[in-house]
Amino acid sequence: MNIVILSRNSHLYSTQRLVEEGLHRGHDVEVIDPLKCEIIIEKEQPKIYYKDRYLDYVDAIIPRIGASVTFYGCAVVRQFEMMNVFTTVTSDSIVRSRDKLRSLQRLTKAGVGMPKTVFTNYSRDVEEVINSVGGTPVIIKLLEGTQGLGVVLAETKNAAESVLEAFNGLQARVIVQEYIKEAKGADLRALVVDGQVVGAMKRQGKDGEFRSNLHRGGSAKIVKLSEDELKLAMKASRALKLPVCGVDMLQSERGPLLLEVNSTPGLEGIESATGRNIARAIITFIERNYK
């Protein structure tokens, strides 16, 4: 097969591993920057032009679309879909997953457990917002934040009110969530491929840090998920129609609670922590399904 990885950086660990495994399994693999693709819209003849050629020979794509290039990156993925090229995740699914509020609404409709969450349109009744999630401490998240950026732990009512008022003044849209104290600064990341969990790790934030993101200095180790945790990860994958994704969840006294679903999960942390060949699982998923 001719497989294209849509990535802005061919040197990233995840991109390199996918290339490596694709070549190892006998496929032709190339990395293409989606922002350098030209979309040609013509009746019944959708095309993509890249540098000096038309990409009319591609069998399957693996989108690695960063949050900052979602609009154009998804337009390129959508064009490949119009050309009947198989994709590991669809453009619509990526767009859905990037909208945190929309994702949470779909997930709660599907019966996925999650921390109490409130979204308001710059409400001035800050006290009621805080009370709605059970009082302080609370987590305040920017809707557009990634990798732990734009996430604040407000431990007191005054701190929460100050943060919310500041974000409101900047017209920055946020969600407010209850703080799950028993998680102790740790979360679980389940990697789903073809609707099944192929690897899981427990991420622990560094001392004094409530965010467990590896980009923030956290550590990771392999973990065996409970039956409820496995079910939550697979249900979240189905609800957002993301056959390949990373599902983040917290361990709480009332069972696993979903944090978010990542449509472009990094492979370095989970392959290192688990020893699992996640990149190969993604390539074999394409082999099973692309026709």
Side-chain angles (χ1 to χ4, degrees):
M1 276 189 295
N2 292 306
I3 299 176
V4 161
I5 301 169
L6 294 174
S7 172
R8 298 211 64 208
N9 187 346
S10 61
H11 301 295
L12 292 176
Y13 175 92
S14 300
T15 303
Q16 289 184 332
R17 285 288 296 119
L18 290 164
V19 171
E20 182 181 305
E21 288 300 324
L23 293 174
H24 181 71
R25 294 187 65 83
H27 305 297
D28 292 324
V29 185
E30 62 181 316
V31 180
I32 285 177
D33 183 346
L35 296 193
K36 294 181 180 178
C37 291
E38 296 178 9
I39 298 171
I40 300 172
I41 300 173
E42 185 178 354
K43 182 180 179 181
E44 297 181 354
Q45 295 186 54
K47 298 176 184 175
I48 296 176
Y49 190 77
Y50 178 74
K51 291 185 176 179
D52 59 352
R53 63 193 185 279
Y54 289 101
L55 301 180
D56 54 5
Y57 54 86
V58 179
D59 296 308
I61 60 170
I62 304 174
R64 302 288 305 173
I65 306 298
S68 62
V69 297
T70 298
F71 176 79
Y72 197 80
C74 285
V76 173
V77 174
R78 191 178 306 115
Q79 189 76 350
F80 274 114
E81 293 168 3
M82 297 301 101
M83 295 161 59
N84 296 317
V85 173
F86 178 81
T87 177
T88 53
V89 289
T90 66
S91 56
D92 285 346
S93 295
I94 297 172
V95 171
R96 265 196 302 269
S97 70
R98 291 283 159 80
D99 185 333
K100 289 183 182 178
L101 178 60
R102 185 180 179 188
S103 294
L104 293 176
Q105 289 172 316
R106 289 180 66 93
L107 289 163
T108 191
K109 174 72 173 178
V112 176
M114 61 187 67
K116 293 178 184 175
T117 303
V118 172
F119 173 78
T120 68
N121 193 34
Y122 312 129
S123 171
R124 295 187 180 276
D125 194 352
V126 174
E127 183 174 356
E128 178 58 28
V129 171
I130 295 170
N131 291 337
S132 295
V133 297
T136 55
V138 295
I139 301 294
I140 302 171
K141 297 180 180 180
L142 281 172
L143 280 179
E144 293 79 19
T146 59
Q147 298 179 351
L149 298 174
V151 181
V152 178
L153 169 62
E155 300 194 55
T156 67
K157 179 181 175 183
N158 286 340
E161 289 178 348
S162 296
V163 172
L164 283 172
E165 287 169 358
F167 279 140
N168 286 345
L170 295 171
Q171 293 193 325
R173 295 187 180 278
V174 299
I175 56 175
V176 181
Q177 287 187 324
E178 69 172 311
Y179 177 61
I180 307 301
K181 183 178 181 180
E182 58 268 30
K184 299 178 180 178
D187 71 6
L188 304 176
R189 159 65 66 89
L191 211 298
V192 177
V193 177
D194 203 4
Q196 301 296 316
V197 175
V198 296
M201 62 179 173
K202 186 170 187 176
R203 304 182 297 188
Q204 180 68 55
K206 63 182 180 180
D207 290 343
E209 175 61 73
F210 72 96
R211 293 167 293 186
S212 58
N213 304 71
L214 300 185
H215 292 87
R216 314 298 302 177
S219 58
K221 64 179 181 180
I222 189 171
V223 68
K224 183 177 181 180
L225 298 182
S226 68
E227 185 175 344
D228 285 343
E229 290 160 353
L230 287 169
K231 287 180 179 177
L232 183 148
M234 292 185 288
K235 182 181 285 188
S237 168
R238 290 194 301 271
L240 296 184
K241 298 183 180 179
L242 285 169
V244 177
C245 61
V247 180
D248 297 340
M249 61 190 108
L250 295 174
Q251 293 175 306
S252 79
E253 293 174 349
R254 60 182 190 267
L257 302 175
L258 183 131
L259 282 176
E260 65 179 339
V261 181
N262 191 325
S263 60
T264 311
L267 303 184
E268 184 172 10
I270 197 158
E271 285 198 338
S272 300
T274 65
R276 301 282 177 83
N277 193 331
I278 307 297
R280 182 173 63 193
I282 293 173
I283 298 298
T284 56
F285 162 58
I286 294 173
E287 293 170 349
R288 288 194 301 270
N289 293 278
Y290 90 99
K291 289 183 180 179

